[in-house]
Amino acid sequence: MSAVADEAAQLKGADRRNFLRKGFAVATAAAAGAVTPALASNKAPNLPEWTKTLGRGVVARPYGRPSDFTDLQRRTVPWLTASPESSISFSPLQDLKGIITPSGLHFERYHGGIPEVNPDEYQLMIHGLVERPLIFTLDDLMRMPSVTEIRFIECPANGGMEWKGAQMEALQFTHGMVSCSEWTGVRLSTLLAEVGVKAEGKWILAEGSDAAGMSRSIPIDKALDDALICYAQNGEPLRPEQGFPVRLMNPGWEGNTSVKWLRRLEVGDQPWYHREETSKYTDLMPDGRSRKFSFVQETNSVVTNPCPENPIQQKGFIEIEGLAWSGRGTIKAVDLSFDGGVTWQKAEVKGLALPKALTRFGFKTQWNGEPWLIQSRAIDETGYVQPTLAQLRGERGTNTIYHKNSIHTWNVHASGEVTNVQIT
Amino acid sequence: MSAVADEAAQLKGADRRNFLRKGFAVATAAAAGAVTPALASNKAPNLPEWTKTLGRGVVARPYGRPSDFTDLQRRTVPWLTASPESSISFSPLQDLKGIITPSGLHFERYHGGIPEVNPDEYQLMIHGLVERPLIFTLDDLMRMPSVTEIRFIECPANGGMEWKGAQMEALQFTHGMVSCSEWTGVRLSTLLAEVGVKAEGKWILAEGSDAAGMSRSIPIDKALDDALICYAQNGEPLRPEQGFPVRLMNPGWEGNTSVKWLRRLEVGDQPWYHREETSKYTDLMPDGRSRKFSFVQETNSVVTNPCPENPIQQKGFIEIEGLAWSGRGTIKAVDLSFDGGVTWQKAEVKGLALPKALTRFGFKTQWNGEPWLIQSRAIDETGYVQPTLAQLRGERGTNTIYHKNSIHTWNVHASGEVTNVQIT
């Protein structure tokens, strides 16, 4: 490499970026594989077929779909559940960019499959310890003052297969129970002001209209805070998979509390202790007791490039990338380690850092074929630091399923392949 | 209405919102149509069919699609162009929420239809007045440091049918040549640093690989500023309609400069004066001369609710909503008029106000069946105020097609119907 390229290779992060901008010759492109054209002249190149043919015109697809050259998809882990109707599918985080999850790739979680709710017959009833019980149609809800926010939704079982050891050999399966969308709806607090919550009203039962009648008890404080009754996802009506036509969305909380195909909100003075919040969604601790109502999805992060699905293809420049998120607010910082947590360096938080939303981080460096034990560690605005697996096991044991937000390790091999490992 | 409801109805904007939050009984829900349940008791309601049936399970659709109960679609104005391959389709803004345009509904603009570019054979050549001409594959581009931004793309012909008078009876057709996505790619400046632009390089020809070889000359300053070489749209690969696998994206500029299916960037010392920037995309002025290289999409706005497709269905509470955007930066404020521009009130800028992106505004009020001449007027961070139609015609005449960003008027009739009118 040239002396200038050597110099560039030494730089990290912002320095490197400035170096590039100054227009100095760096080996980046050459390292990236870019080639010099054999004929850098005025001769017309050989035209590929696609340029010589009149293409598909407007409105051949009134609602578009991805290129036939791509095949991004949700996937399942077949042995996880007994049936597809009470099951989960995972977002292909390894293929995604930015922070918006394409609506067609948002992870799925069902307890009785998708109910085909007719929006013209849809009703949301709010009753119980209220002054005026009311029934809202979809039109009613859409007439109310609207709010739009970008928020993640995460299943608390995200990573749950890994409590006892590294098990899944793909990012899609270690972390794919999280997605992020732009949600639009009306604040639940606005609706509660309409019905008038009685002084003794302290909990709300949120119930869905799926075959399971999936329900969760929500504390009134969350309901009056940032809970949203949503009808739009990334600008259009909710997808059936995410609760069409209306769902509850509790920013930063366990995904199951964001009840889909919402039909009823009942205000009460105690939690209901329904099935899904007793037999499930509680955290079995080492002393045999269970944590209940562990609502908040704690700060979490993972490196998305490299990962098992994205091995490193060649030596030279690489931008390490990943996602961080926190149910407690915004991501303040992300650290990276290449030696399994012995030493740490500051990664760059890239783009929008919104509260309770996916956030991108990056780190520009060089890979020269050395093995890495790469980890990311997120810190949120409250100062909470993503814990190590040892810390988490120390607190919770290994008999729990949920809330495994510990620092995750990928082993990058000399071959460039990436495998899942656990380091306590 | 109750005394309390009367009081609430008098309030506007933030005061009303606070009023609602205090939980006082307001007539909003009743006005919204919400009804009191006949039986607000413990009796189980009649269950709809969709609750009594096990629904579709996971990964029946590895890549999801909208509910069969919905039918949002792009549409065309058939008399606008001679063929669908060189034509345009419009986003259904009247149906959309938030600021992200669903990828399947992003407006289309073709000059030779969609080329079916094979991503494995894709190449981007950068040559001309450079030190080191280079060819980049898609993998090369995706290895470079990535940037993600939410930006609108607008065709300068948006609203162009209306220079001589109100013509289109739908929001989709008056303003639907604008969409907004989360774009991911590599800064063009990063690539230009790789090839090394020579001192005399002042312009770049961006050329696409469609059948038309659509091309535009871009000033080097824009190329070195925020121009992006994009490969992802709302988190996944570009849609074929928006330039799969790679496009140029010039934030805030005429959509045609954001060349799709980009194949070549040639650095030169003068503009090329190609067909699409001489016979088209110039602005014929009253004196017979044309403005050329009018790159920036000026500040614009429109009320989306109500609009012809969204008539007002009932008296009482309504939240006026709309979109504002500026190629010059962020939206700072939006004013609303109900009397055709005689008096103005401050609307609320809602949610994210990002530079060169769609921005939502709202205004809570009551409609009592009175006719309205409703207008929105956006002001951007530079202090630029959206002009009236009279001001715009005074400067540009009526023989031009492009850059009609004037204040738009909807006539709300006593029936609640909404028609397009022009007020000079």
Side-chain angles (χ1 to χ4, degrees):
Chain A
M1 289 200 300
S2 70
V4 167
D6 277 336
E7 183 175 60
Q10 303 291 336
L11 300 173
K12 293 277 192 307
D15 290 337
R16 182 180 184 83
R17 200 163 55 250
N18 289 334
F19 191 91
L20 287 173
R21 285 214 187 103
K22 288 177 183 149
F24 295 134
V26 292
T28 304
V35 296
T36 308
L39 294 169
S41 72
N42 290 333
K43 290 195 182 139
N46 290 330
L47 293 174
E49 276 313 304
W50 58 71
T51 297
K52 295 189 277 190
T53 318
L54 200 60
R56 172 161 49 89
V58 292
V59 192
R61 291 182 188 170
Y63 191 97
R65 64 172 194 267
S67 165
D68 291 338
F69 285 105
T70 66
D71 191 26
L72 277 63
Q73 45 181 290
R74 299 185 272 231
R75 293 180 174 87
T76 53
V77 176
W79 50 258
L80 256 187
T81 60
S83 77
E85 294 86 4
S86 184
S87 189
I88 189 151
S89 72
F90 299 76
S91 280
L93 301 181
Q94 69 279 8
D95 297 325
L96 303 181
K97 308 293 176 188
I99 66 170
I100 298 291
T101 305
S103 299
L105 295 171
H106 195 295
F107 82 91
E108 304 166 272
R109 175 54 169 135
Y110 309 134
H111 294 86
I114 303 173
E116 299 275 323
V117 181
N118 185 332
D120 295 334
E121 298 172 26
Y122 173 79
Q123 290 186 333
L124 171 63
M125 180 165 78
I126 307 183
H127 68 129
L129 293 177
V130 300
E131 303 291 344
R132 290 166 304 285
L134 291 170
I135 291 178
F136 296 85
T137 64
L138 180 56
D139 280 349
D140 293 337
L141 297 174
M142 293 181 75
R143 274 187 70 193
M144 309 289 277
S146 77
V147 174
T148 295
E149 291 167 342
I150 295 176
R151 305 288 203 186
F152 75 80
I153 286 186
E154 183 182 24
C155 178
N158 204 11
M161 296 87 86
E162 309 255 303
W163 273 108
K164 293 186 161 68
Q167 189 159 208
M168 310 312 301
E169 274 307 324
L171 169 66
Q172 184 160 7
F173 299 135
T174 59
H175 289 78
M177 294 192 214
V178 67
S179 302
C180 186
S181 310
E182 184 204 47
W183 303 100
T184 300
V186 54
R187 284 272 187 240
L188 177 50
S189 58
T190 301
L191 302 182
L192 293 177
E194 292 300 303
V195 298
V197 176
K198 291 185 170 172
E200 57 270 35
K202 298 295 179 197
W203 286 85
I204 296 184
L205 182 74
E207 184 181 87
S209 49
D210 55 336
M214 166 64 183
S215 61
R216 286 267 358 214
S217 306
I218 314 293
I220 196 78
D221 286 348
K222 182 64 172 178
L224 292 172
D225 183 18
D226 58 3
L228 206 58
I229 301 298
C230 293
Y231 44 75
Q233 172 185 359
N234 293 336
E236 57 181 350
L238 296 184
R239 289 300 176 90
E241 292 85 346
Q242 275 72 59
F244 178 86
V246 174
R247 79 176 298 162
L248 172 62
M249 209 279 296
N250 290 317
W253 278 28
E254 292 192 337
N256 53 76
T257 70
S258 292
V259 175
K260 298 187 288 287
W261 319 287
L262 187 71
R263 76 174 164 204
R264 186 166 75 91
L265 294 166
E266 180 178 351
V267 181
D269 57 3
Q270 314 178 41
W272 276 257
Y273 292 111
H274 271 184
R275 174 178 184 265
E276 294 298 332
E277 55 194 11
T278 50
S279 73
K280 303 287 182 291
Y281 301 127
T282 56
D283 311 307
L284 181 58
M285 304 294 274
D287 68 0
R289 296 186 307 159
S290 287
R291 267 191 346 170
K292 66 184 180 187
F293 301 133
S294 48
F295 290 122
V296 178
Q297 289 299 109
E298 296 93 343
T299 306
N300 202 348
S301 75
V302 68
V303 171
T304 57
N305 183 52
C307 69
E309 299 98 317
N310 296 330
I312 305 184
Q313 309 273 17
Q314 59 202 101
K315 294 181 186 173
F317 175 78
I318 180 170
E319 183 180 36
I320 310 295
E321 273 216 355
L323 291 166
W325 60 99
S326 176
R328 303 159 58 93
T330 57
I331 293 297
K332 181 171 171 155
V334 179
D335 302 322
L336 273 180
S337 176
F338 295 88
D339 54 16
V342 177
T343 61
W344 293 91
Q345 303 179 65
K346 275 245 161 299
E348 172 197 0
V349 173
K350 297 170 53 168
L352 294 172
L354 301 170
K356 305 174 190 177
L358 286 185
T359 307
R360 279 280 168 193
F361 64 86
F363 187 87
K364 301 177 187 60
T365 188
Q366 296 272 322
W367 183 67
N368 299 310
E370 67 271 39
W372 278 340
L373 287 169
I374 191 170
Q375 302 182 333
S376 63
R377 175 176 70 190
I379 299 115
D380 71 31
E381 62 175 292
T382 72
Y384 175 105
V385 180
Q386 195 181 352
T388 64
L389 185 51
Q391 288 171 322
L392 216 53
R393 279 175 173 158
E395 280 187 33
R396 314 248 195 87
T398 58
N399 290 323
T400 189
I401 300 173
Y402 308 113
H403 293 284
K404 181 182 174 298
N405 65 314
S406 51
I407 291 166
H408 189 80
T409 312
W410 297 127
N411 185 3
V412 177
H413 301 256
S415 62
E417 281 178 72
V418 183
T419 54
N420 182 13
V421 295
Q422 281 193 354
I423 295 177
T424 54
Chain B
M1 290 200 299
S2 71
V4 167
D6 278 336
E7 185 175 60
Q10 303 291 336
L11 298 173
K12 293 279 191 310
D15 291 337
R16 180 181 186 81
R17 198 162 58 246
N18 289 335
F19 192 90
L20 286 173
R21 283 211 187 105
K22 288 172 183 155
F24 295 137
V26 291
T28 302
V35 298
T36 307
L39 294 170
S41 72
N42 288 337
K43 289 191 184 143
N46 290 331
L47 291 175
E49 276 311 306
W50 58 72
T51 296
K52 295 191 274 189
T53 317
L54 199 62
R56 173 160 49 90
V58 292
V59 193
R61 291 184 188 167
Y63 190 96
R65 64 173 195 266
S67 166
D68 290 339
F69 285 105
T70 66
D71 191 26
L72 276 63
Q73 46 181 288
R74 298 184 272 232
R75 294 181 175 87
T76 53
V77 176
W79 49 259
L80 254 187
T81 59
S83 78
E85 294 86 3
S86 184
S87 189
I88 190 150
S89 72
F90 299 76
S91 280
L93 301 180
Q94 69 278 8
D95 297 324
L96 303 182
K97 307 294 177 188
I99 67 170
I100 297 291
T101 306
S103 300
L105 296 171
H106 194 296
F107 83 92
E108 304 165 272
R109 174 53 169 141
Y110 310 135
H111 295 85
I114 303 173
E116 300 275 322
V117 181
N118 184 333
D120 295 333
E121 298 171 26
Y122 172 81
Q123 291 186 332
L124 171 62
M125 180 163 78
I126 308 182
H127 68 130
L129 293 177
V130 300
E131 302 290 345
R132 288 166 305 286
L134 292 171
I135 291 178
F136 296 84
T137 64
L138 179 56
D139 281 347
D140 293 337
L141 297 173
M142 293 181 75
R143 273 187 71 194
M144 309 290 276
S146 77
V147 173
T148 296
E149 292 168 341
I150 294 175
R151 305 287 203 187
F152 76 81
I153 286 185
E154 183 181 27
C155 180
N158 203 13
M161 296 88 86
E162 309 254 304
W163 273 106
K164 292 187 161 68
Q167 190 159 211
M168 311 310 302
E169 275 307 325
L171 168 66
Q172 185 160 5
F173 298 135
T174 59
H175 288 77
M177 292 192 218
V178 67
S179 302
C180 186
S181 310
E182 184 205 46
W183 303 100
T184 301
V186 53
R187 284 272 186 239
L188 178 50
S189 58
T190 301
L191 301 182
L192 292 178
E194 291 302 303
V195 298
V197 175
K198 290 184 173 174
E200 57 272 33
K202 298 296 179 198
W203 287 84
I204 297 185
L205 181 75
E207 184 180 86
S209 49
D210 56 334
M214 166 64 183
S215 60
R216 287 268 357 216
S217 307
I218 315 292
I220 196 78
D221 286 347
K222 182 64 172 178
L224 292 172
D225 182 19
D226 57 3
L228 206 59
I229 302 297
C230 292
Y231 44 75
Q233 172 184 358
N234 293 337
E236 58 182 351
L238 297 183
R239 290 299 176 90
E241 292 86 346
Q242 275 73 59
F244 178 86
V246 174
R247 78 175 298 163
L248 172 60
M249 208 279 296
N250 289 318
W253 278 27
E254 292 191 336
N256 54 77
T257 70
S258 292
V259 174
K260 299 188 286 286
W261 320 286
L262 186 69
R263 76 174 163 203
R264 187 165 75 90
L265 293 165
E266 181 178 350
V267 181
D269 57 3
Q270 315 178 39
W272 275 258
Y273 292 111
H274 273 185
R275 175 177 184 267
E276 294 298 332
E277 55 195 10
T278 50
S279 73
K280 303 286 182 290
Y281 301 126
T282 55
D283 312 306
L284 182 59
M285 304 295 273
D287 68 1
R289 297 188 306 161
S290 287
R291 272 200 329 180
K292 65 184 182 187
F293 302 133
S294 48
F295 289 122
V296 177
Q297 290 298 110
E298 297 93 342
T299 305
N300 203 348
S301 75
V302 67
V303 171
T304 57
N305 183 52
C307 69
E309 298 97 316
N310 296 331
I312 306 185
Q313 309 273 19
Q314 57 203 102
K315 293 179 185 176
F317 176 78
I318 181 171
E319 183 182 35
I320 310 293
E321 275 215 356
L323 290 166
W325 60 98
S326 176
R328 302 159 59 92
T330 57
I331 293 298
K332 182 173 169 155
V334 180
D335 303 322
L336 273 181
S337 174
F338 295 88
D339 55 15
V342 178
T343 61
W344 293 91
Q345 302 179 66
K346 275 245 164 297
E348 173 197 359
V349 174
K350 298 170 53 166
L352 292 172
L354 301 171
K356 305 175 191 176
L358 286 185
T359 307
R360 278 282 168 191
F361 62 87
F363 187 87
K364 302 178 188 60
T365 189
Q366 296 273 321
W367 184 66
N368 298 312
E370 67 270 39
W372 277 342
L373 288 170
I374 191 169
Q375 303 182 332
S376 62
R377 175 176 70 190
I379 299 113
D380 70 31
E381 62 175 291
T382 73
Y384 176 106
V385 180
Q386 195 181 353
T388 65
L389 186 52
Q391 289 171 320
L392 217 52
R393 279 175 172 156
E395 278 188 33
R396 311 245 197 92
T398 57
N399 289 322
T400 189
I401 300 173
Y402 308 112
H403 292 284
K404 182 181 175 297
N405 65 312
S406 51
I407 290 166
H408 188 81
T409 312
W410 298 126
N411 184 6
V412 178
H413 301 256
S415 62
E417 282 178 71
V418 183
T419 55
N420 182 13
V421 295
Q422 281 193 354
I423 296 177
T424 53

